[in-house]
Amino acid sequence: MTYAYNFNAGPGALPSEVLQEAQEELHNFQGIGASILEMSHRSKPYEAIHNEAQQLIKELLELSSDYDVLLLPGGASAQFCMVPINFLTKGKTAGYVNSGTWSGKAWKEAQKIGKTLVLASGEKEYFKRLPDLNNLGIPRELAYVHLTSNETIGGIQYKSFPDTGDVPLFADMSSDIMSRPIEASKFALIYAGAQKNIGPAGVTIVIVHRPLLERIPEAIPDMLSYNVHAKHNSLFNTPPVFSVYMVNLVLKWIVNQGGLPEMAARNRQKADLLYHVIDTSGGFYRGLAHKDSRSMMNITFGISSPEIENKLLVELEQEGFMGLKGHRDAGHLRASVYNAVPYEHCKTLAEFLADFQKRNG
Ligand SMILES: *Cc1c(COP(=O)(O)O)cnc(C)c1O
């Protein structure tokens, strides 16, 4: 069997070792005689997986003991409304950093719930450059500040995060969680759908600073309340058990590979390979994001001739490269080089792009 070079943006590549492990224990999980898919979420074997996944998230991100890790359904998009439903309560205002498609969607949902304020926007620069976070001028009474660490579609990513003082900082880290070490203590809430960098679709990780839970009104529906999920250790109802199981395997894989510093070093090398081809192409390839804002996870680029760009996409598919067509909103090309994408695949892609330029430049 031959595998494609998988550069999908999401769901993205999973480590082949993890897929193999899941396959091997699918029919008979740890000798129990049944699959993990067929067991109660209140059974001991499942509970061990659930707790281990939460524990690994705490360890990898070096969270202090006053954070809870929730494992929720609904995707990151559900968080776009859950965040304001829980924290943008009557009379309050929430601050949003608008850096592109995903932060824009989060902001739009919040406007349905309450008052918002855009603290910084990349709109004037067509979301190709990160809005500056250095002088946000955050009013002290804000309910929270929300930002998106990596804009998956535009291909821009923050390297550092602001100090927001007493105002809680929230982040959507769906497409770069566990790709590098972060200063977790700066954040009061982090959420991430698993399917970009740490597992399959179906589960969303929500990391929340516990004291914040006390602010959540009782009156909101149970399934939308972080407080209810936290009180029940994310077992209020049936969690997405198979997704949690897969996330747990991926997290163990990350630990075995050397943890987040090692992930960051590899991701840097992979991204550099591709940006190097773009930057040394004499203008044949054009990076879509400004150099100072470039993402290590999603490399967006194009060719000025649409005919040649289409030819490239056709050839890439013929050669076994997958997922390189850019998002329908951004167009052009996008290579997503998440944790599970091997360096060798990026090297093969970089070499192919250089060769394509020779033949068509
Ligand atoms: C993919 C993505 C989302 C949406 O995730 P769903 O799980 O499909 O709801 C939100 N934010 C970012 C940054 C993403 O990359």
Side-chain angles (χ1 to χ4, degrees):
M1 167 144 185
T2 54
Y3 283 99
Y5 303 111
N6 186 349
F7 292 93
N8 276 318
L14 290 166
S16 62
E17 298 95 317
V18 165
L19 289 174
Q20 187 136 15
E21 211 177 333
Q23 184 184 33
E24 278 162 16
E25 45 185 31
L26 184 64
H27 276 96
N28 190 353
F29 180 71
Q30 294 180 353
I32 288 165
S35 156
I36 193 68
L37 290 164
E38 309 168 286
M39 262 178 256
S40 166
H41 55 293
R42 319 239 175 242
S43 66
K44 284 229 154 58
Y46 176 73
E47 234 183 312
I49 291 166
H50 190 92
N51 292 337
E52 188 176 41
Q54 290 169 318
Q55 190 54 35
L56 285 167
I57 291 164
K58 288 179 187 168
E59 282 170 24
L60 281 163
L61 294 175
E62 299 181 25
L63 300 176
S64 58
S65 58
D66 49 357
Y67 283 89
D68 277 339
V69 175
L70 311 180
L71 305 169
L72 303 184
S77 300
Q79 299 309 311
F80 295 165
C81 73
M82 270 180 81
V83 162
I85 286 171
N86 281 262
F87 300 112
L88 184 48
T89 43
K90 229 183 161 70
K92 295 223 167 105
T93 303
Y96 278 75
V97 174
N98 187 14
S99 54
T101 309
W102 290 117
S103 55
K105 287 190 181 192
W107 173 44
K108 208 167 151 216
E109 285 291 274
Q111 290 170 59
K112 297 178 185 169
I113 310 294
K115 258 179 78 180
T116 63
L117 179 69
V118 174
L119 295 168
S121 172
E123 195 173 359
K124 279 212 182 97
E125 298 195 75
Y126 307 101
F127 300 113
K128 289 169 188 221
R129 176 174 274 150
L130 292 161
D132 185 7
L133 300 181
N134 285 319
N135 302 298
L136 287 178
I138 301 165
R140 286 195 54 191
E141 66 280 6
L142 283 190
Y144 58 83
V145 171
H146 179 282
L147 60 79
T148 306
S149 56
N150 183 62
E151 285 284 0
T152 324
I153 293 170
I156 58 176
Q157 181 183 30
Y158 280 109
K159 268 110 214 148
S160 60
F161 299 99
D163 215 324
T164 53
D166 289 339
V167 179
L169 179 61
F170 292 3
D172 175 1
M173 296 196 184
S174 291
S175 51
D176 67 352
I177 193 160
M178 305 293 176
S179 69
R180 56 180 173 173
I182 51 156
E183 221 182 310
S185 61
K186 279 196 165 170
F187 299 91
L189 186 141
I190 295 169
Y191 63 90
Q195 73 271 21
K196 310 281 163 61
N197 215 23
I198 52 168
V203 64
T204 301
I205 314 299
V206 179
I207 296 156
V208 58
H209 195 223
R210 203 172 301 115
L212 209 61
L213 296 172
E214 289 160 19
R215 301 187 190 178
I216 297 172
E218 292 272 335
I220 62 183
D222 284 347
M223 275 301 287
L224 299 181
S225 166
Y226 294 121
N227 210 9
V228 168
H229 288 294
K231 276 194 180 132
H232 292 83
N233 188 30
S234 305
L235 292 162
F236 172 68
N237 72 327
T238 317
V241 292
F242 194 64
S243 299
V244 173
Y245 161 76
M246 290 296 292
V247 165
N248 189 38
L249 292 184
V250 172
L251 294 171
K252 284 197 267 192
W253 176 86
I254 293 174
V255 171
N256 288 333
Q257 300 295 306
L260 300 191
E262 178 63 21
M263 290 297 121
R266 289 184 193 177
N267 291 331
R268 173 85 279 151
Q269 280 188 327
K270 292 185 297 184
D272 281 350
L273 263 180
L274 295 170
Y275 284 127
H276 181 73
V277 172
I278 293 166
D279 292 341
T280 56
S281 71
F284 181 76
Y285 296 114
R286 291 174 300 113
L288 299 187
H290 280 284
K291 281 190 185 175
D292 60 13
S293 300
R294 282 174 165 176
S295 168
M296 282 201 301
M297 296 274 92
N298 310 98
I299 292 137
T300 50
F301 62 103
I303 298 176
S304 43
S305 152
E307 292 79 39
I308 298 180
E309 193 174 278
N310 278 333
K311 186 172 175 228
L312 172 60
L313 282 165
V314 170
E315 283 193 26
L316 283 167
E317 202 175 314
Q318 286 166 353
E319 294 297 315
F321 294 97
M322 188 190 269
L324 286 155
K325 195 168 167 46
H327 188 276
R328 59 186 184 276
D329 290 350
H332 304 290
L333 287 92
R334 169 173 55 169
S336 299
V337 296
Y338 300 128
N339 286 351
V341 176
Y343 178 83
E344 291 70 33
H345 290 195
C346 296
K347 194 154 174 274
T348 308
L349 176 60
E351 284 165 3
F352 183 84
L353 292 175
D355 181 63
F356 181 85
Q357 184 187 352
K358 264 191 208 137
R359 291 184 281 111
N360 297 277

